[in-house]
């Protein structure tokens, strides 16, 4: 977010996206627009439309929303950060706030930056007109939209009316937006679409001259791909799994994982597979393991509480060396915790949650686009090493919308494979000196002996044994193949300078905010760099050399500082590198990192720990 | 329509014999009822001549659950209580296989009790043999969910106080489409039940009373004529319009099946309940896939993904 550079002095710019040209245009690089209302007002819908429009206009976009955890609805926001350059976070503060109710105004006016615009529904909101920090603009949203559609529509068209208004205020491309609205509403009936367009046009043609002395013109995007796809993290993850060759799976509903299983249930039959809704998470992981044993790479998933229930079966998968993909969309814990808020507090559970020595692969996507690619990476690793792989997404990634270039399916898609070539008498699923290779049922064993896969310790043929030497050798084997994976994954690139004062370390969805904080700090002349991990366990090699080149190291993560003052990933890094300079910037408020929180963390951390 | 269990190969290349099917030497205690169950299973497989590589045997944890090691076939020894969901995953992703699950009363009715209801109501195509010894064998004599009131175990030294479950009623009300009860000392009857279960399209269960000679000796003598008991078989309707037939059991009659299940121990043995017209989950899922692929005209993964992503623009 280029704060300060926004809303500069009025300059006349050609209306690039709109024919709405009766007021002067002010050219801006990015805008954070926050809609605050109730969840039933459809603000998610219009936020989604704006995000999609950005994707189709070579712009960057990131959205952020809060959802009440009750079904009957309640206060909710949807924030859209649109930009012509790189957009890395949903934005600390809003430039433009739309409030539908008094409670929305009261709760969100402080999230507006000074000098920002608050557009309020003058039918419902009485603003504090003495507050001169903001430009307060009243529009009778409720009554005007009822007028447009007719009384029976009640509150229905308010969101689309506001969308029309925003389109005109920001000179957005009306034609493209109309297409997006049409695609969304046509399927629901001609009437629904017509009403939507009535509301939209009424908002679009609202006389802006009465309330503004200028409109804003969002600069055209710098992205090379004009035609990008726009979607949320859960959707990207679900299709990444399909692209990775997953055709079978099972799950049990839980927020925020459910949309992934809903997508897979609807989609997998098209690819010849199926997805089962299980009676619980223990059954879900077992069904998926059954499909994996039968020769099809399968998926199960959940959020924190459900991951706990899968742990026993995951130990089995490690012992039996069966491939499996486990998606865990993290939310606030422990227990039911904050089901609709974000946290990165399942890392240690994912790595260490099972009984026994159970080395496990854990990955985390860094943004929405990466949800697609990390799923494919998980499939690749699970197959190559015949191991369970846990993917840690989170609530913020699951629902936020971003635009990114369409994947090249021809080169990324991994076809499913079922290897039933007959095996001869020399068949060994667990050779001490080679990779795991199972013979799925249906395979003819020409040597006459058929394999039994077991959770008991076993020899190279899979035969149970309690031989002390073999337990040591097999423990080595299960560990060493994960270590070998660690050698194969690339060392993360340093963002910023190759050496300096501060190194920020992140994993998962904090990628954008950490990157933006790094840029901001460097703008202010600080020698701050950052590295980011997608492979958390095993972590890549070469990290120690990077740490040494910085005076301070701060691991930024959305979890608690723990008993000894270090977040979960920081604890792992400290264990690996015995480097006491590794410090933590953590938080547990259920919200994503704001840029200023990271910067404040650096400042106080540098004071607390003097450089070496 | 239910999908039939894949037909046994008409002309197998080589005859599948007991010798081919014999796996590790069983580790059960001498005299354990489970030996007879294993022998009966070999014999039925010999008779049905299912292709060797298509047989999958699996189990949870328990004495009885060691079964897969003793059968030379593709097999899997899983975790306690979860063999049914595991088998569900195998069956649904590989309809070409013959899926057999073995396990004990603790594994099936206690820790796995919920899975039993759900595999049953989904009518997953597989055959499940519960080797019921009324006790926890492997962990050395704790009360099981089928232990009778008063049974003295290590966890109930003064005698068990909780009412046992009624396996037949649980299975029928759970929605199993083939429910039978047999006795490991009655080999011919046991084989007949296994064969009918295997031929049944859908979820078939046979509760087999199989004595734990170490921790519950004599538990099933009352149902064993050689030990002075009575082995009373259910007489099934022959639909021959004779007056005697009125008294015989219609296996599709759920109410009468419950009445039989309520008989005093040792009760009757045979098929309590069997319905064929309920579609299997395997069939329903296959139909979903066929319909979906018809709509997309059998498009491949790359094309389907491209099409889906074009809607995100
Ligand atoms: C999660 C878990 N809990 C407990 C056990 C210990 N355990 C193993 S077998 C068993 C009970 C076995 O009884 P049953 O299923 O009736 O089999 P049997 O040995 O009588 O054939 C128990 C409690 C375990 N292996 N795993
Ligand atoms: S303990 Fe009982 S059930 Fe287990 S093998 Fe021995 S006799 Fe059989
Ligand atoms: Mg038992």
């Amino acid at each position: 977010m280029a704060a300060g550079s926004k809303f500069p002095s009025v300059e006349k710019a050609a209306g690039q996206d709109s024919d709405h040209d009766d007021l002067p245009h002010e050219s801006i690089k990015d805008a954070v627009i926050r809609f605050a209302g109730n969840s039933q007002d459809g603000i998610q819908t219009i936020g989604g439309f704006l995000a999609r429009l950005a994707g189709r206009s070579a712009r960057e976009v990131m959205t952020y929303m809060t959802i009440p955890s009750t079904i009957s609805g309640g206060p909710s926001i949807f924030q859209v950060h649109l930009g012509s350059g790189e957009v890395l976070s949903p934005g600390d503060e809003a430039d433009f706030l739309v409030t539908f109710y008094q409670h929305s105004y009261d709760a969100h006016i402080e999230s507006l930056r000074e000098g920002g615009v608050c557009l309020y529904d003058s039918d419902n909101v009485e603003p504090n007109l003495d507050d001169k920090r903001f430009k307060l603009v009243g529009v009778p949203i409720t009554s005007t939209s009822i007028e447009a559609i007719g009384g029976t529509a009640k509150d229905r068209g308010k969101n689309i009316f506001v969308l029309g208004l925003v389109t005109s205020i920001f000179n957005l491309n009306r034609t493209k937006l109309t297409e997006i609205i049409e695609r969304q509403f046509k399927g629901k009936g001609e009437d629904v679409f017509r009403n939507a367009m009535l509301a939209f046009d009424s908002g679009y043609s609202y006389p802006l001259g009465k309330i503004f002395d200028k409109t804003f013109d969002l600069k055209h995007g710098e992205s090379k791909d004009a035609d990008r796809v726009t979607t949320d993290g859960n959707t990207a993850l679900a299709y990444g799994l399909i692209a990775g060759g997953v055709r079978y799976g099972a799950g049990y509903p839980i927020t925020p994982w459910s949309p992934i299983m809903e997508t897979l249930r609807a989609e997998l039959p098209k690819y010849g597979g199926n997805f089962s809704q299980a009676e619980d998470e223990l059954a879900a992981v077992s069904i998926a393991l059954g499909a994996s044993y039968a020769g099809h790479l399968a998926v199960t998933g959940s959020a924190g509480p459900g991951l706990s229930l899968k742990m026993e079966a995951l130990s089995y998968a490690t012992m039996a060396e069966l491939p499996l993909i486990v998606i865990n969309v993290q939310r606030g814990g422990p227990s039911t915790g904050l089901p609709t808020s974000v946290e990165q507090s399942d890392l240690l559970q994912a790595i260490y949650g099972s009984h026994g020595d159970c080395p496990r692969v854990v990955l985390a996507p860094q943004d929405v686009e990466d949800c697609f690619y990390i799923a494919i990476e998980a499939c690749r690793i699970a197959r190559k090493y015949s191991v369970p792989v846990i993917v840690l997404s989170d609530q913020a990634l699951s629902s936020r919308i971003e635009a990114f270039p369409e994947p090249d399916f021809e080169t990324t898609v991994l076809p499913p494979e079922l290897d039933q070539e007959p095996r001869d008498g020399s068949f060994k699923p667990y050779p001490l000196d080679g990779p795991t290779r199972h013979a799925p049922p249906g395979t003819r064993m020409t040597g006459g002996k058929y394999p039994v896969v077991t959770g008991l310790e076993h020899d190279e043929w899979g035969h149970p044994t309690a031989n002390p030497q073999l337990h040591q050798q097999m423990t080595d084997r299960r560990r060493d193949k994960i270590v070998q994976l660690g050698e194969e994954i690339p060392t993360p690139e340093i963002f910023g300078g190759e050496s300096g004062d501060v190194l920020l370390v992140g994993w998962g969805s904090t990628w954008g905010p950490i990157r933006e904080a790094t840029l901001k700090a460097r703008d202010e002349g600080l020698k701050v760099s950052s590295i980011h991990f997608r492979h958390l366990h095993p972590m890549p090699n070469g990290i120690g050399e990077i740490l040494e080149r910085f005076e301070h190291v701060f691991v930024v993560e959305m979890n608690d500082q723990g008993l000894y003052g270090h977040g979960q990933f920081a604890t792992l890094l400290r264990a690996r590198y015995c480097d006491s300079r590794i410090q933590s910037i953590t938080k547990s408020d259920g919200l994503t990192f704001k840029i200023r929180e990271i910067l404040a963390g650096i400042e106080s951390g540098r004071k607390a720990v003097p450089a070496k | 329509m239910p999908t039939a269990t894949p037909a046994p190969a008409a002309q197998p290349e080589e005859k599948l014999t007991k010798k081919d099917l014999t796996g590790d030497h069983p580790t059960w205690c001498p005299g354990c009822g489970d030996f007879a169950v294993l022998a009966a299973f070999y014999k039925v497989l010999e008779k049905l001549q299912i292709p060797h590589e298509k047989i999958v045997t699996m189990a949870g944890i328990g004495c009885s659950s060691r079964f897969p090691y003793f059968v030379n076939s593709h097999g899997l020894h899983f975790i306690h209580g979860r063999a049914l969901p595991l088998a569900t995953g195998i069956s649904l992703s590989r309809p070409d296989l013959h899926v057999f699950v073995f396990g004990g009363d603790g594994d099936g009715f206690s820790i796995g009790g919920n899975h039993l209801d759900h595999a049953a109501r989904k009518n997953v195509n597989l055959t499940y043999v519960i080797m019921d010894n009324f006790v926890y064998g492997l962990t050395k004599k704790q009360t099981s969910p089928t232990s009778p009131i008063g049974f003295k175990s290590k966890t109930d030294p003064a005698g068990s106080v909780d009412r046992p479950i009624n396996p037949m009623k649980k299975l029928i009300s759970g929605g199993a489409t083939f429910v039978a009860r047999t006795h490991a000392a009655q080999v011919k009857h046991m084989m007949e039940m296994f064969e009918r279960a295997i031929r049944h399209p859908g979820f078939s269960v046979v509760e087999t009373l199989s004595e734990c000679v170490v921790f519950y000796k004599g538990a099933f003598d009352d149902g064993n004529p050689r030990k002075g008991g009575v082995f009373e078989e259910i007489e099934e309707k022959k639909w021959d319009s004779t007056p005697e037939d009125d008294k015989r059991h219609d296996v599709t009659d759920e109410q009468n099946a419950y009445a039989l299940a309520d008989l005093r121990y040792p009760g009757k043995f045979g098929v309590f309940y069997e319905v064929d017209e309920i579609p299997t989950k395997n069939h329903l899922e296959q139909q979903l896939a066929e319909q979906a692929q018809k709509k997309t005209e059998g498009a491949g993964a790359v094309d389907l993904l491209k099409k889906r992503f074009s809607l995100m623009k």
Side-chain angles (χ1 to χ4, degrees), chain A residues 56 183 230 239 265 277 279 287 293-294 296 316 406 410 420 441-444 448 450-451 453-454 456 463, chain B residues 24 53 69 72-77 85-86 89-90 93-94 115 118 122 285 293 304 306 308 311-313:
Chain A
R56 297 179 79 181
R183 198 153 74 198
T230 309
Y239 287 101
R265 174 80 186 141
Q277 178 172 338
E279 56 272 28
I287 292 171
Y293 161 72
H296 299 289
Y316 181 93
E406 184 174 356
E410 313 279 355
Q420 293 191 91
T443 306
R444 286 195 53 200
Y450 280 79
V453 173
T454 175
L456 286 166
H463 210 263
Chain B
D24 291 358
E53 70 275 12
Y69 298 118
N72 182 34
S73 74
H74 283 289
L76 195 145
H77 186 212
L86 181 100
I90 300 172
S93 67
R94 291 291 302 278
H115 304 313
H118 291 275
K122 291 179 177 180
E285 293 295 332
Q293 288 182 308
L304 287 172
K306 275 187 185 164
R308 182 64 192 84
L311 295 176
M312 298 177 193
K313 285 182 187 166

Coordinates of all heavy atoms in Angstrom, one line a residue, chain A residues 56 183 230 239 265 277 279 287 293-294 296 316 406 410 420 441-444 448 450-451 453-454 456 463, chain B residues 24 53 69 72-77 85-86 89-90 93-94 115 118 122 285 293 304 306 308 311-313:
Chain A
R56 N -9.6 -9.1 -14.2 CA -9.8 -9.0 -15.6 C -9.2 -7.7 -16.1 O -9.3 -7.4 -17.3 CB -11.3 -9.1 -15.9 CG -11.9 -10.4 -15.6 CD -13.3 -10.5 -15.9 NE -13.6 -10.7 -17.3 CZ -14.8 -10.8 -17.8 NH1 -15.8 -10.6 -17.1 NH2 -14.9 -11.0 -19.1
R183 N -23.1 -13.0 -15.4 CA -22.8 -14.4 -15.3 C -23.3 -15.0 -13.9 O -23.7 -16.1 -13.8 CB -21.3 -14.6 -15.4 CG -20.9 -16.0 -15.6 CD -19.6 -16.1 -16.4 NE -18.5 -15.8 -15.5 CZ -17.3 -15.5 -15.9 NH1 -17.0 -15.4 -17.2 NH2 -16.3 -15.3 -15.0
T230 N -9.5 -15.2 -10.9 CA -9.7 -14.6 -9.6 C -10.4 -15.6 -8.7 O -11.5 -16.0 -9.1 CB -10.5 -13.3 -9.7 OG1 -9.9 -12.5 -10.7 CG2 -10.6 -12.6 -8.4
Y239 N -8.7 -27.4 -6.6 CA -8.3 -27.7 -8.0 C -6.8 -28.1 -8.1 O -6.4 -28.8 -9.0 CB -8.7 -26.5 -8.9 CG -10.2 -26.5 -9.1 CD1 -11.0 -25.6 -8.4 CD2 -10.8 -27.4 -9.9 CE1 -12.3 -25.6 -8.5 CE2 -12.2 -27.4 -10.0 CZ -12.9 -26.5 -9.3 OH -14.3 -26.5 -9.5
R265 N -16.4 -33.0 -3.7 CA -17.6 -33.9 -3.8 C -18.3 -33.6 -5.2 O -18.7 -34.6 -5.8 CB -18.5 -33.7 -2.7 CG -19.8 -34.4 -2.8 CD -19.7 -35.8 -2.3 NE -21.0 -36.6 -2.5 CZ -21.0 -37.9 -2.9 NH1 -19.9 -38.5 -3.2 NH2 -22.2 -38.5 -3.1
Q277 N -18.4 -38.2 2.2 CA -18.6 -37.5 3.5 C -18.6 -38.6 4.5 O -19.5 -39.4 4.5 CB -19.9 -36.7 3.5 CG -20.1 -36.0 4.8 CD -21.3 -35.1 4.9 OE1 -21.7 -34.6 3.9 NE2 -21.8 -34.8 6.1
E279 N -18.5 -40.3 8.6 CA -19.2 -40.1 9.8 C -18.4 -39.3 10.8 O -18.9 -38.7 11.7 CB -19.6 -41.4 10.4 CG -18.5 -42.4 10.7 CD -18.3 -43.3 9.5 OE1 -18.5 -42.8 8.3 OE2 -17.8 -44.5 9.7
I287 N -10.8 -43.8 5.3 CA -11.4 -44.0 4.0 C -10.3 -43.6 2.9 O -10.0 -44.3 2.0 CB -12.7 -43.3 3.7 CG1 -13.8 -43.9 4.6 CG2 -13.1 -43.3 2.3 CD1 -15.1 -43.1 4.7
Y293 N -4.1 -47.0 -0.2 CA -3.6 -48.3 -0.2 C -4.0 -49.1 -1.5 O -3.2 -49.8 -2.1 CB -4.1 -49.1 1.0 CG -4.0 -50.6 0.9 CD1 -2.8 -51.2 1.0 CD2 -5.2 -51.3 0.7 CE1 -2.7 -52.6 0.8 CE2 -5.1 -52.7 0.5 CZ -3.9 -53.4 0.6 OH -3.8 -54.7 0.5
A294 N -5.2 -48.8 -2.0 CA -5.7 -49.4 -3.2 C -5.0 -48.9 -4.4 O -5.3 -49.3 -5.5 CB -7.2 -49.3 -3.2
H296 N -4.6 -45.4 -5.3 CA -5.0 -44.1 -5.8 C -4.6 -43.1 -4.7 O -5.0 -43.2 -3.6 CB -6.5 -44.0 -5.9 CG -7.1 -44.9 -6.9 ND1 -7.0 -44.8 -8.2 CD2 -7.9 -46.0 -6.7 CE1 -7.6 -45.7 -8.9 NE2 -8.2 -46.5 -8.0
Y316 N -0.1 -44.4 11.4 CA -0.1 -45.6 10.7 C 0.4 -45.4 9.3 O 1.2 -46.2 8.7 CB -1.6 -46.2 10.6 CG -1.7 -47.5 9.8 CD1 -1.6 -48.7 10.4 CD2 -1.8 -47.4 8.4 CE1 -1.6 -49.9 9.7 CE2 -1.8 -48.6 7.6 CZ -1.7 -49.8 8.3 OH -1.7 -51.0 7.6
E406 N -3.4 -17.5 -15.0 CA -4.0 -18.9 -15.1 C -2.9 -19.9 -15.2 O -1.9 -19.7 -15.9 CB -4.8 -19.0 -16.4 CG -5.5 -20.3 -16.6 CD -6.5 -20.3 -17.7 OE1 -6.7 -19.3 -18.4 OE2 -7.0 -21.4 -18.0
E410 N -1.2 -27.8 -19.1 CA -0.5 -28.8 -19.9 C 0.8 -29.2 -19.2 O 1.1 -30.4 -19.3 CB -0.1 -28.2 -21.3 CG -1.2 -27.4 -22.0 CD -2.2 -28.4 -22.7 OE1 -1.9 -29.6 -22.8 OE2 -3.2 -27.8 -23.3
Q420 N -0.3 -51.7 -11.6 CA -0.6 -53.1 -11.2 C 0.2 -54.1 -12.0 O -0.3 -55.2 -12.3 CB -2.1 -53.3 -11.5 CG -3.0 -52.5 -10.5 CD -4.5 -53.0 -10.6 OE1 -4.9 -53.8 -9.9 NE2 -5.2 -52.4 -11.5
P441 N -3.5 -53.8 -4.2 CA -4.3 -55.0 -4.5 C -4.7 -55.0 -5.9 O -4.9 -54.0 -6.5 CB -5.5 -54.8 -3.5 CG -5.4 -53.4 -3.1 CD -4.0 -53.0 -3.1
G442 N -4.8 -56.2 -6.5 CA -5.1 -56.3 -7.9 C -3.8 -56.7 -8.7 O -3.9 -57.2 -9.8
T443 N -2.7 -56.5 -8.0 CA -1.4 -56.8 -8.6 C -1.1 -58.3 -8.4 O -1.2 -58.8 -7.3 CB -0.2 -56.0 -7.9 OG1 -0.6 -54.7 -7.9 CG2 1.1 -56.3 -8.6
R444 N -0.8 -59.0 -9.5 CA -0.4 -60.4 -9.4 C 1.0 -60.6 -8.8 O 1.9 -59.9 -9.3 CB -0.6 -61.1 -10.7 CG -2.0 -61.3 -11.1 CD -2.1 -62.3 -12.3 NE -1.4 -63.5 -11.9 CZ -1.0 -64.4 -12.9 NH1 -1.3 -64.2 -14.1 NH2 -0.4 -65.5 -12.5
G448 N 4.2 -65.8 -5.8 CA 3.2 -66.6 -5.0 C 2.9 -65.9 -3.6 O 1.9 -66.2 -3.1
Y450 N 1.8 -62.9 -1.2 CA 1.1 -61.6 -1.3 C 1.5 -60.8 -0.1 O 1.7 -61.3 1.0 CB -0.4 -61.9 -1.4 CG -0.8 -62.2 -2.8 CD1 -0.6 -63.5 -3.3 CD2 -1.3 -61.2 -3.7 CE1 -0.9 -63.8 -4.7 CE2 -1.6 -61.5 -5.0 CZ -1.4 -62.8 -5.5 OH -1.7 -63.0 -6.8
P451 N 1.6 -59.4 -0.3 CA 2.0 -58.6 0.8 C 0.9 -58.2 1.8 O -0.3 -58.0 1.3 CB 2.5 -57.3 0.1 CG 1.7 -57.3 -1.2 CD 1.4 -58.7 -1.5
V453 N 0.1 -55.2 4.4 CA 0.6 -53.9 4.9 C 0.2 -53.8 6.4 O -0.9 -54.0 6.7 CB 0.0 -52.8 4.0 CG1 0.4 -51.4 4.6 CG2 0.5 -52.9 2.6
T454 N 1.2 -53.3 7.2 CA 0.9 -53.4 8.6 C 1.4 -52.1 9.4 O 2.3 -51.4 8.9 CB 1.5 -54.6 9.3 OG1 1.3 -54.6 10.7 CG2 3.0 -54.7 9.0
L456 N 2.4 -52.6 12.4 CA 3.5 -53.2 13.3 C 4.8 -52.9 12.7 O 4.9 -52.8 11.5 CB 3.3 -54.7 13.5 CG 2.1 -55.2 14.4 CD1 1.8 -56.7 14.1 CD2 2.4 -54.9 15.8
H463 N 6.9 -57.8 6.7 CA 6.6 -58.8 7.7 C 6.8 -58.4 9.1 O 7.9 -57.8 9.4 CB 7.4 -60.1 7.4 CG 6.7 -61.3 7.8 ND1 6.9 -61.9 9.0 CD2 5.7 -62.0 7.1 CE1 6.1 -63.0 9.0 NE2 5.3 -63.0 7.9
Chain B
D24 N 0.9 -66.9 6.9 CA 1.7 -67.2 8.1 C 1.0 -68.2 9.0 O -0.2 -68.3 9.0 CB 2.0 -66.0 8.9 CG 2.9 -65.0 8.3 OD1 3.4 -65.3 7.2 OD2 3.1 -63.9 8.8
E53 N -5.4 -62.4 -7.0 CA -4.9 -61.0 -6.8 C -6.0 -60.0 -6.5 O -5.8 -58.9 -6.0 CB -4.1 -60.5 -8.0 CG -4.9 -60.3 -9.3 CD -5.2 -61.6 -10.1 OE1 -4.9 -62.7 -9.6 OE2 -5.6 -61.4 -11.2
Y69 N -2.7 -61.8 8.3 CA -1.4 -62.4 8.2 C -1.5 -63.9 7.8 O -0.6 -64.5 7.3 CB -0.6 -62.3 9.5 CG -0.3 -60.9 9.9 CD1 -0.8 -60.4 11.1 CD2 0.5 -60.1 9.1 CE1 -0.5 -59.1 11.5 CE2 0.8 -58.8 9.5 CZ 0.3 -58.3 10.7 OH 0.5 -57.0 11.1
N72 N -2.9 -65.8 2.6 CA -1.9 -65.3 1.6 C -2.7 -64.6 0.5 O -3.1 -65.2 -0.5 CB -1.1 -66.5 1.0 CG -0.1 -65.9 0.0 OD1 0.4 -64.8 0.2 ND2 0.1 -66.7 -1.0
S73 N -3.0 -63.3 0.7 CA -3.7 -62.5 -0.2 C -3.2 -61.1 0.0 O -2.5 -60.8 1.0 CB -5.2 -62.6 -0.1 OG -5.6 -61.9 1.1
H74 N -3.5 -60.2 -0.9 CA -3.3 -58.8 -0.5 C -4.0 -58.5 0.8 O -5.2 -58.9 1.0 CB -3.9 -57.8 -1.6 CG -3.0 -57.8 -2.8 ND1 -1.8 -57.2 -2.8 CD2 -3.2 -58.3 -4.1 CE1 -1.2 -57.3 -4.0 NE2 -2.0 -58.0 -4.8
G75 N -3.3 -57.8 1.7 CA -4.0 -57.6 3.0 C -3.5 -56.4 3.7 O -2.5 -55.8 3.3
L76 N -4.2 -56.0 4.7 CA -3.8 -54.8 5.5 C -4.2 -55.0 6.9 O -5.4 -55.4 7.2 CB -4.5 -53.6 4.8 CG -3.9 -52.3 5.3 CD1 -3.9 -51.3 4.2 CD2 -4.7 -51.7 6.5
H77 N -3.3 -54.8 7.8 CA -3.6 -54.9 9.3 C -3.6 -53.4 9.8 O -2.5 -52.8 9.8 CB -2.5 -55.7 9.9 CG -2.7 -56.0 11.4 ND1 -1.7 -56.1 12.3 CD2 -3.8 -56.2 12.1 CE1 -2.2 -56.4 13.5 NE2 -3.5 -56.4 13.4
P85 N -14.0 -48.2 7.8 CA -13.8 -47.1 6.9 C -12.6 -47.3 6.0 O -12.7 -46.9 4.8 CB -13.5 -45.9 7.8 CG -13.4 -46.4 9.2 CD -14.1 -47.8 9.2
L86 N -11.6 -48.0 6.4 CA -10.5 -48.3 5.5 C -11.0 -49.1 4.3 O -10.7 -48.8 3.2 CB -9.4 -49.0 6.3 CG -8.2 -49.3 5.4 CD1 -7.1 -48.4 5.6 CD2 -7.7 -50.8 5.5
G89 N -12.9 -47.2 1.8 CA -12.1 -46.5 0.8 C -11.5 -47.4 -0.2 O -11.5 -47.1 -1.4
I90 N -11.2 -48.7 0.1 CA -10.7 -49.6 -0.9 C -11.9 -50.0 -1.8 O -11.7 -50.0 -3.0 CB -10.2 -50.9 -0.2 CG1 -9.0 -50.5 0.8 CG2 -9.7 -51.9 -1.2 CD1 -8.5 -51.6 1.6
S93 N -13.0 -47.2 -4.2 CA -12.1 -46.7 -5.2 C -11.7 -47.9 -6.2 O -11.1 -47.7 -7.2 CB -10.8 -46.1 -4.6 OG -10.1 -47.1 -3.9
R94 N -12.0 -49.1 -5.7 CA -11.6 -50.3 -6.5 C -12.7 -51.3 -6.6 O -12.6 -52.4 -5.9 CB -10.3 -50.9 -5.9 CG -9.1 -50.0 -6.1 CD -8.6 -50.0 -7.5 NE -8.3 -51.3 -8.0 CZ -7.2 -52.0 -7.8 NH1 -6.2 -51.4 -7.1 NH2 -7.0 -53.2 -8.3
H115 N -18.6 -46.6 13.1 CA -18.3 -46.9 11.7 C -19.2 -48.0 11.2 O -19.5 -48.0 10.0 CB -16.8 -47.3 11.6 CG -15.9 -46.3 12.1 ND1 -16.0 -44.9 11.9 CD2 -14.8 -46.4 13.0 CE1 -15.0 -44.3 12.5 NE2 -14.3 -45.1 13.2
H118 N -22.4 -46.7 9.9 CA -22.3 -45.9 8.7 C -21.9 -46.7 7.5 O -22.5 -46.5 6.4 CB -21.4 -44.7 9.0 CG -22.1 -43.7 9.9 ND1 -22.9 -42.8 9.5 CD2 -22.0 -43.6 11.3 CE1 -23.4 -42.1 10.5 NE2 -22.8 -42.6 11.6
K122 N -24.6 -47.1 4.4 CA -24.2 -46.7 3.0 C -24.2 -47.9 2.1 O -24.0 -47.8 0.9 CB -22.8 -46.1 3.1 CG -22.8 -44.7 3.8 CD -21.4 -44.1 3.9 CE -21.5 -42.7 4.5 NZ -20.2 -42.1 4.6
E285 N -22.1 -44.2 -6.5 CA -21.0 -43.4 -6.8 C -20.6 -43.5 -8.3 O -20.2 -42.6 -8.9 CB -19.8 -43.7 -5.9 CG -20.1 -43.3 -4.4 CD -20.3 -41.8 -4.2 OE1 -19.7 -41.0 -4.9 OE2 -21.0 -41.5 -3.2
Q293 N -19.6 -37.5 -16.2 CA -18.7 -37.6 -17.4 C -19.4 -37.6 -18.7 O -18.9 -37.2 -19.7 CB -17.8 -38.9 -17.3 CG -16.8 -38.8 -16.2 CD -15.9 -40.0 -16.1 OE1 -16.4 -41.1 -15.9 NE2 -14.6 -39.8 -16.1
L304 N -11.0 -30.2 -18.5 CA -11.9 -29.8 -17.5 C -11.4 -28.7 -16.6 O -12.1 -27.7 -16.3 CB -12.2 -31.0 -16.6 CG -13.0 -32.2 -17.2 CD1 -13.0 -33.4 -16.2 CD2 -14.5 -31.7 -17.4
K306 N -9.2 -26.4 -17.5 CA -9.2 -25.1 -18.3 C -10.6 -24.5 -18.3 O -10.7 -23.3 -18.2 CB -8.8 -25.5 -19.7 CG -7.3 -25.5 -20.0 CD -7.0 -25.7 -21.4 CE -5.5 -25.8 -21.7 NZ -5.2 -26.3 -23.0
R308 N -13.0 -24.9 -16.2 CA -13.4 -24.4 -14.9 C -12.7 -23.1 -14.6 O -13.3 -22.1 -14.1 CB -13.0 -25.5 -13.8 CG -13.4 -25.1 -12.4 CD -14.9 -25.0 -12.3 NE -15.3 -24.4 -11.0 CZ -15.3 -23.0 -10.8 NH1 -15.0 -22.2 -11.7 NH2 -15.7 -22.6 -9.6
L311 N -14.0 -19.8 -16.0 CA -15.2 -19.2 -15.3 C -14.7 -18.3 -14.2 O -15.5 -17.6 -13.6 CB -16.1 -20.3 -14.7 CG -16.8 -21.2 -15.7 CD1 -17.6 -22.3 -15.0 CD2 -17.7 -20.3 -16.6
M312 N -13.4 -18.4 -13.9 CA -12.9 -17.5 -12.8 C -12.3 -16.2 -13.3 O -11.7 -15.5 -12.6 CB -11.8 -18.2 -12.0 CG -12.2 -19.5 -11.4 SD -10.7 -20.3 -10.6 CE -11.4 -21.9 -10.2
K313 N -12.5 -16.0 -14.6 CA -11.9 -14.8 -15.2 C -12.9 -13.6 -15.2 O -14.1 -13.9 -15.2 CB -11.5 -15.1 -16.7 CG -10.2 -15.9 -16.7 CD -9.8 -16.1 -18.1 CE -8.6 -17.1 -18.2 NZ -8.4 -17.5 -19.6

